[in-house]
Short mmCIF file of all heavy atoms in Angstrom, two decimals:
data_model
loop_
_atom_site.label_atom_id
_atom_site.label_comp_id
_atom_site.label_asym_id
_atom_site.label_seq_id
_atom_site.Cartn_x
_atom_site.Cartn_y
_atom_site.Cartn_z
N ASN A 970 -34.68 -23.46 -73.64
CA ASN A 970 -33.26 -23.24 -73.34
C ASN A 970 -33.10 -22.43 -72.05
O ASN A 970 -32.27 -21.52 -71.96
CB ASN A 970 -32.56 -22.52 -74.49
CG ASN A 970 -32.39 -23.40 -75.71
OD1 ASN A 970 -32.54 -24.62 -75.65
ND2 ASN A 970 -32.08 -22.78 -76.84
N THR A 971 -33.88 -22.79 -71.07
CA THR A 971 -33.92 -22.03 -69.83
C THR A 971 -33.67 -22.94 -68.63
O THR A 971 -34.15 -24.07 -68.58
CB THR A 971 -35.28 -21.34 -69.67
OG1 THR A 971 -35.46 -20.40 -70.75
CG2 THR A 971 -35.36 -20.58 -68.36
N VAL A 972 -32.91 -22.42 -67.69
CA VAL A 972 -32.67 -23.11 -66.43
C VAL A 972 -33.09 -22.18 -65.30
O VAL A 972 -32.94 -20.96 -65.39
CB VAL A 972 -31.19 -23.53 -66.29
CG1 VAL A 972 -30.26 -22.32 -66.28
CG2 VAL A 972 -30.99 -24.37 -65.04
N TYR A 973 -33.64 -22.77 -64.25
CA TYR A 973 -34.13 -22.02 -63.12
C TYR A 973 -33.41 -22.47 -61.85
O TYR A 973 -32.95 -23.60 -61.74
CB TYR A 973 -35.63 -22.23 -62.93
CG TYR A 973 -36.46 -21.95 -64.15
CD1 TYR A 973 -36.80 -22.99 -65.02
CD2 TYR A 973 -36.90 -20.67 -64.44
CE1 TYR A 973 -37.57 -22.75 -66.15
CE2 TYR A 973 -37.67 -20.42 -65.57
CZ TYR A 973 -38.00 -21.46 -66.42
OH TYR A 973 -38.76 -21.21 -67.54
N LEU A 974 -33.35 -21.57 -60.91
CA LEU A 974 -32.86 -21.91 -59.59
C LEU A 974 -33.83 -21.33 -58.57
O LEU A 974 -33.87 -20.11 -58.38
CB LEU A 974 -31.45 -21.37 -59.35
CG LEU A 974 -30.80 -21.79 -58.03
CD1 LEU A 974 -30.54 -23.30 -58.02
CD2 LEU A 974 -29.51 -21.03 -57.78
N GLN A 975 -34.60 -22.20 -57.96
CA GLN A 975 -35.50 -21.80 -56.91
C GLN A 975 -34.73 -21.83 -55.60
O GLN A 975 -34.23 -22.88 -55.19
CB GLN A 975 -36.71 -22.73 -56.83
CG GLN A 975 -37.69 -22.41 -55.72
CD GLN A 975 -38.39 -21.09 -55.91
OE1 GLN A 975 -38.85 -20.79 -57.01
NE2 GLN A 975 -38.46 -20.28 -54.86
N MET A 976 -34.63 -20.69 -54.95
CA MET A 976 -33.86 -20.57 -53.73
C MET A 976 -34.80 -20.24 -52.58
O MET A 976 -35.38 -19.15 -52.54
CB MET A 976 -32.79 -19.49 -53.87
CG MET A 976 -31.84 -19.71 -55.05
SD MET A 976 -30.50 -18.49 -55.11
CE MET A 976 -31.45 -17.01 -55.46
N ASN A 977 -34.94 -21.17 -51.68
CA ASN A 977 -35.79 -20.99 -50.51
C ASN A 977 -34.93 -20.89 -49.25
O ASN A 977 -33.77 -21.30 -49.23
CB ASN A 977 -36.77 -22.15 -50.37
CG ASN A 977 -37.72 -22.28 -51.53
OD1 ASN A 977 -38.12 -21.27 -52.13
ND2 ASN A 977 -38.11 -23.51 -51.86
N SER A 978 -35.53 -20.37 -48.22
CA SER A 978 -34.86 -20.26 -46.92
C SER A 978 -33.49 -19.63 -47.06
O SER A 978 -32.48 -20.13 -46.53
CB SER A 978 -34.75 -21.64 -46.26
OG SER A 978 -36.03 -22.22 -46.07
N LEU A 979 -33.44 -18.54 -47.75
CA LEU A 979 -32.16 -17.89 -48.03
C LEU A 979 -31.48 -17.41 -46.75
O LEU A 979 -32.13 -16.97 -45.80
CB LEU A 979 -32.36 -16.73 -48.99
CG LEU A 979 -32.54 -17.15 -50.45
CD1 LEU A 979 -33.16 -16.03 -51.26
CD2 LEU A 979 -31.20 -17.56 -51.05
N LYS A 980 -30.17 -17.51 -46.76
CA LYS A 980 -29.34 -17.13 -45.64
C LYS A 980 -28.38 -16.03 -46.07
O LYS A 980 -28.06 -15.91 -47.26
CB LYS A 980 -28.54 -18.33 -45.13
CG LYS A 980 -29.37 -19.53 -44.73
CD LYS A 980 -28.48 -20.70 -44.35
CE LYS A 980 -29.30 -21.91 -43.94
NZ LYS A 980 -28.43 -23.06 -43.57
N PRO A 981 -27.89 -15.25 -45.13
CA PRO A 981 -26.90 -14.23 -45.49
C PRO A 981 -25.69 -14.80 -46.22
O PRO A 981 -25.11 -14.13 -47.08
CB PRO A 981 -26.51 -13.64 -44.13
CG PRO A 981 -27.73 -13.82 -43.30
CD PRO A 981 -28.30 -15.14 -43.73
N GLU A 982 -25.33 -16.03 -45.89
CA GLU A 982 -24.20 -16.68 -46.54
C GLU A 982 -24.44 -16.94 -48.02
O GLU A 982 -23.49 -17.25 -48.75
CB GLU A 982 -23.86 -18.00 -45.85
CG GLU A 982 -23.66 -17.88 -44.35
CD GLU A 982 -24.94 -18.11 -43.58
OE1 GLU A 982 -25.27 -19.27 -43.28
OE2 GLU A 982 -25.62 -17.10 -43.27
N ASP A 983 -25.68 -16.85 -48.46
CA ASP A 983 -26.00 -17.04 -49.87
C ASP A 983 -25.75 -15.78 -50.69
O ASP A 983 -25.86 -15.82 -51.92
CB ASP A 983 -27.45 -17.47 -50.04
CG ASP A 983 -27.75 -18.80 -49.39
OD1 ASP A 983 -26.93 -19.74 -49.52
OD2 ASP A 983 -28.82 -18.92 -48.75
N THR A 984 -25.44 -14.70 -50.04
CA THR A 984 -25.19 -13.45 -50.74
C THR A 984 -24.00 -13.58 -51.69
O THR A 984 -22.91 -13.97 -51.28
CB THR A 984 -24.93 -12.31 -49.75
OG1 THR A 984 -26.09 -12.09 -48.96
CG2 THR A 984 -24.57 -11.02 -50.48
N ALA A 985 -24.24 -13.28 -52.94
CA ALA A 985 -23.21 -13.42 -53.96
C ALA A 985 -23.78 -12.96 -55.29
O ALA A 985 -24.98 -12.72 -55.43
CB ALA A 985 -22.75 -14.87 -54.08
N VAL A 986 -22.90 -12.85 -56.25
CA VAL A 986 -23.33 -12.69 -57.62
C VAL A 986 -23.51 -14.10 -58.19
O VAL A 986 -22.60 -14.92 -58.12
CB VAL A 986 -22.33 -11.90 -58.47
CG1 VAL A 986 -22.80 -11.83 -59.92
CG2 VAL A 986 -22.15 -10.50 -57.91
N TYR A 987 -24.67 -14.36 -58.71
CA TYR A 987 -24.98 -15.67 -59.25
C TYR A 987 -24.85 -15.64 -60.77
O TYR A 987 -25.44 -14.78 -61.44
CB TYR A 987 -26.39 -16.10 -58.85
CG TYR A 987 -26.47 -16.57 -57.42
CD1 TYR A 987 -26.33 -15.68 -56.37
CD2 TYR A 987 -26.65 -17.92 -57.11
CE1 TYR A 987 -26.37 -16.10 -55.05
CE2 TYR A 987 -26.70 -18.36 -55.81
CZ TYR A 987 -26.56 -17.45 -54.78
OH TYR A 987 -26.60 -17.89 -53.48
N TYR A 988 -24.08 -16.58 -61.27
CA TYR A 988 -23.82 -16.66 -62.69
C TYR A 988 -24.39 -17.94 -63.27
O TYR A 988 -24.27 -19.01 -62.68
CB TYR A 988 -22.31 -16.65 -62.97
CG TYR A 988 -21.60 -15.39 -62.54
CD1 TYR A 988 -21.04 -15.27 -61.27
CD2 TYR A 988 -21.47 -14.32 -63.42
CE1 TYR A 988 -20.38 -14.13 -60.88
CE2 TYR A 988 -20.81 -13.17 -63.04
CZ TYR A 988 -20.27 -13.08 -61.77
OH TYR A 988 -19.60 -11.94 -61.39
N CYS A 989 -24.96 -17.82 -64.42
CA CYS A 989 -25.45 -18.97 -65.15
C CYS A 989 -24.39 -19.43 -66.13
O CYS A 989 -23.78 -18.61 -66.83
CB CYS A 989 -26.74 -18.61 -65.89
SG CYS A 989 -27.46 -19.95 -66.85
N ASN A 990 -24.16 -20.71 -66.17
CA ASN A 990 -23.21 -21.29 -67.11
C ASN A 990 -23.92 -22.32 -67.96
O ASN A 990 -24.64 -23.18 -67.44
CB ASN A 990 -22.04 -21.92 -66.37
CG ASN A 990 -21.03 -22.55 -67.32
OD1 ASN A 990 -21.07 -23.75 -67.57
ND2 ASN A 990 -20.13 -21.72 -67.85
N VAL A 991 -23.72 -22.24 -69.25
CA VAL A 991 -24.37 -23.15 -70.18
C VAL A 991 -23.31 -23.82 -71.02
O VAL A 991 -22.53 -23.15 -71.69
CB VAL A 991 -25.37 -22.40 -71.08
CG1 VAL A 991 -26.05 -23.38 -72.03
CG2 VAL A 991 -26.42 -21.68 -70.24
N GLN A 992 -23.29 -25.13 -70.97
CA GLN A 992 -22.36 -25.90 -71.77
C GLN A 992 -23.06 -26.27 -73.07
O GLN A 992 -24.05 -27.01 -73.06
CB GLN A 992 -21.90 -27.15 -71.04
CG GLN A 992 -20.83 -27.93 -71.76
CD GLN A 992 -20.49 -29.22 -71.05
OE1 GLN A 992 -21.37 -30.04 -70.79
NE2 GLN A 992 -19.22 -29.41 -70.73
N THR A 993 -22.54 -25.76 -74.16
CA THR A 993 -23.16 -25.98 -75.46
C THR A 993 -22.21 -26.69 -76.40
O THR A 993 -20.99 -26.65 -76.25
CB THR A 993 -23.61 -24.66 -76.11
OG1 THR A 993 -22.48 -23.79 -76.27
CG2 THR A 993 -24.66 -23.97 -75.25
N GLU A 994 -22.80 -27.32 -77.37
CA GLU A 994 -22.04 -27.95 -78.44
C GLU A 994 -22.32 -27.19 -79.73
O GLU A 994 -23.48 -26.95 -80.07
CB GLU A 994 -22.44 -29.41 -78.59
CG GLU A 994 -21.67 -30.16 -79.66
CD GLU A 994 -22.13 -31.60 -79.82
OE1 GLU A 994 -23.10 -31.99 -79.15
OE2 GLU A 994 -21.51 -32.33 -80.61
N ASP A 995 -21.25 -26.82 -80.43
CA ASP A 995 -21.43 -26.12 -81.68
C ASP A 995 -21.51 -27.12 -82.83
O ASP A 995 -21.53 -28.32 -82.64
CB ASP A 995 -20.31 -25.09 -81.89
CG ASP A 995 -18.93 -25.71 -82.03
OD1 ASP A 995 -18.83 -26.94 -82.22
OD2 ASP A 995 -17.94 -24.96 -81.94
N GLY A 996 -21.55 -26.58 -84.04
CA GLY A 996 -21.66 -27.43 -85.21
C GLY A 996 -20.45 -28.29 -85.47
O GLY A 996 -20.53 -29.23 -86.27
N PHE A 997 -19.34 -27.97 -84.81
CA PHE A 997 -18.12 -28.77 -84.97
C PHE A 997 -17.89 -29.68 -83.76
O PHE A 997 -16.78 -30.17 -83.56
CB PHE A 997 -16.91 -27.85 -85.16
CG PHE A 997 -16.99 -27.02 -86.41
CD1 PHE A 997 -17.48 -25.72 -86.37
CD2 PHE A 997 -16.59 -27.54 -87.62
CE1 PHE A 997 -17.57 -24.97 -87.53
CE2 PHE A 997 -16.67 -26.80 -88.78
CZ PHE A 997 -17.16 -25.50 -88.74
N ARG A 998 -18.91 -29.88 -82.99
CA ARG A 998 -18.91 -30.78 -81.84
C ARG A 998 -17.92 -30.34 -80.76
O ARG A 998 -17.37 -31.18 -80.04
CB ARG A 998 -18.63 -32.21 -82.29
CG ARG A 998 -19.66 -32.73 -83.28
CD ARG A 998 -19.36 -34.13 -83.76
NE ARG A 998 -20.34 -34.58 -84.73
CZ ARG A 998 -20.32 -35.74 -85.35
NH1 ARG A 998 -19.34 -36.62 -85.08
NH2 ARG A 998 -21.25 -36.06 -86.23
N LYS A 999 -17.73 -29.07 -80.66
CA LYS A 999 -16.88 -28.52 -79.61
C LYS A 999 -17.74 -28.04 -78.45
O LYS A 999 -18.71 -27.30 -78.64
CB LYS A 999 -16.05 -27.35 -80.14
CG LYS A 999 -15.17 -26.69 -79.10
CD LYS A 999 -14.42 -25.51 -79.68
CE LYS A 999 -13.58 -24.82 -78.64
NZ LYS A 999 -12.87 -23.65 -79.19
N LEU A 1000 -17.38 -28.46 -77.26
CA LEU A 1000 -18.09 -28.04 -76.07
C LEU A 1000 -17.54 -26.71 -75.58
O LEU A 1000 -16.33 -26.55 -75.43
CB LEU A 1000 -17.97 -29.09 -74.97
CG LEU A 1000 -18.62 -30.45 -75.25
CD1 LEU A 1000 -18.35 -31.41 -74.11
CD2 LEU A 1000 -20.11 -30.29 -75.47
N THR A 1001 -18.42 -25.78 -75.35
CA THR A 1001 -18.04 -24.46 -74.91
C THR A 1001 -18.89 -24.04 -73.72
O THR A 1001 -20.11 -24.25 -73.73
CB THR A 1001 -18.21 -23.43 -76.04
OG1 THR A 1001 -17.41 -23.81 -77.16
CG2 THR A 1001 -17.78 -22.05 -75.57
N ALA A 1002 -18.25 -23.48 -72.74
CA ALA A 1002 -18.97 -22.95 -71.58
C ALA A 1002 -19.22 -21.46 -71.78
O ALA A 1002 -18.29 -20.69 -71.99
CB ALA A 1002 -18.17 -23.18 -70.30
N SER A 1003 -20.47 -21.08 -71.72
CA SER A 1003 -20.86 -19.68 -71.90
C SER A 1003 -21.45 -19.15 -70.60
O SER A 1003 -22.25 -19.83 -69.96
CB SER A 1003 -21.88 -19.55 -73.03
OG SER A 1003 -21.34 -20.01 -74.25
N TRP A 1004 -21.03 -17.96 -70.25
CA TRP A 1004 -21.43 -17.35 -68.99
C TRP A 1004 -22.36 -16.17 -69.19
O TRP A 1004 -22.21 -15.39 -70.14
CB TRP A 1004 -20.21 -16.85 -68.21
CG TRP A 1004 -19.28 -17.93 -67.75
CD1 TRP A 1004 -18.21 -18.43 -68.41
CD2 TRP A 1004 -19.35 -18.64 -66.51
NE1 TRP A 1004 -17.60 -19.40 -67.66
CE2 TRP A 1004 -18.28 -19.55 -66.49
CE3 TRP A 1004 -20.22 -18.58 -65.41
CZ2 TRP A 1004 -18.04 -20.40 -65.42
CZ3 TRP A 1004 -19.99 -19.43 -64.34
CH2 TRP A 1004 -18.91 -20.32 -64.35
N GLY A 1005 -23.29 -16.04 -68.28
CA GLY A 1005 -24.06 -14.82 -68.21
C GLY A 1005 -23.28 -13.76 -67.46
O GLY A 1005 -22.19 -14.01 -66.93
N GLN A 1006 -23.82 -12.57 -67.39
CA GLN A 1006 -23.14 -11.47 -66.73
C GLN A 1006 -23.38 -11.43 -65.23
O GLN A 1006 -22.74 -10.64 -64.53
CB GLN A 1006 -23.54 -10.14 -67.37
CG GLN A 1006 -23.09 -10.02 -68.82
CD GLN A 1006 -23.32 -8.64 -69.40
OE1 GLN A 1006 -23.69 -7.70 -68.69
NE2 GLN A 1006 -23.09 -8.52 -70.69
N GLY A 1007 -24.25 -12.26 -64.76
CA GLY A 1007 -24.48 -12.37 -63.34
C GLY A 1007 -25.67 -11.57 -62.85
O GLY A 1007 -26.04 -10.55 -63.43
N THR A 1008 -26.25 -12.05 -61.78
CA THR A 1008 -27.33 -11.33 -61.11
C THR A 1008 -27.05 -11.34 -59.61
O THR A 1008 -26.71 -12.37 -59.04
CB THR A 1008 -28.70 -11.96 -61.45
OG1 THR A 1008 -29.75 -11.18 -60.86
CG2 THR A 1008 -28.81 -13.40 -60.97
N GLN A 1009 -27.19 -10.19 -59.01
CA GLN A 1009 -26.84 -10.04 -57.60
C GLN A 1009 -27.95 -10.55 -56.70
O GLN A 1009 -29.12 -10.19 -56.86
CB GLN A 1009 -26.57 -8.57 -57.28
CG GLN A 1009 -26.27 -8.29 -55.80
CD GLN A 1009 -24.93 -8.81 -55.37
OE1 GLN A 1009 -23.92 -8.56 -56.04
NE2 GLN A 1009 -24.90 -9.54 -54.26
N VAL A 1010 -27.57 -11.39 -55.77
CA VAL A 1010 -28.47 -11.86 -54.72
C VAL A 1010 -27.92 -11.39 -53.39
O VAL A 1010 -26.79 -11.73 -53.03
CB VAL A 1010 -28.62 -13.39 -54.72
CG1 VAL A 1010 -29.41 -13.86 -53.51
CG2 VAL A 1010 -29.28 -13.86 -56.01
#
C-alpha cells in the first residue's frame, strides 16, 4: 500500500509541500480521498 515519487533534477520551482493522496474504496463501495499531512521539499 505504498506509492513512491522519485524526483530527479530538482529545480527551485519544485519547492512545495508534497501531499500524498490515496483513493480508497470502503466496504460500502464508497470512494474516499485520504490525504497525508505533507512533507516539505
Side-chain angles (χ1 to χ4, degrees):
N970 290 345
T971 298
V972 62
Y973 307 94
L974 185 66
Q975 178 66 45
M976 304 185 294
N977 298 327
S978 301
L979 282 162
K980 303 176 180 180
E982 307 91 86
D983 297 317
T984 296
V986 177
Y987 283 70
Y988 297 91
C989 179
N990 180 264
V991 181
Q992 185 185 55
T993 59
E994 182 182 4
D995 64 14
F997 297 96
R998 301 178 182 178
K999 178 182 178 181
L1000 295 177
T1001 302
S1003 300
W1004 295 91
Q1006 295 188 8
T1008 184
Q1009 177 71 49
V1010 172

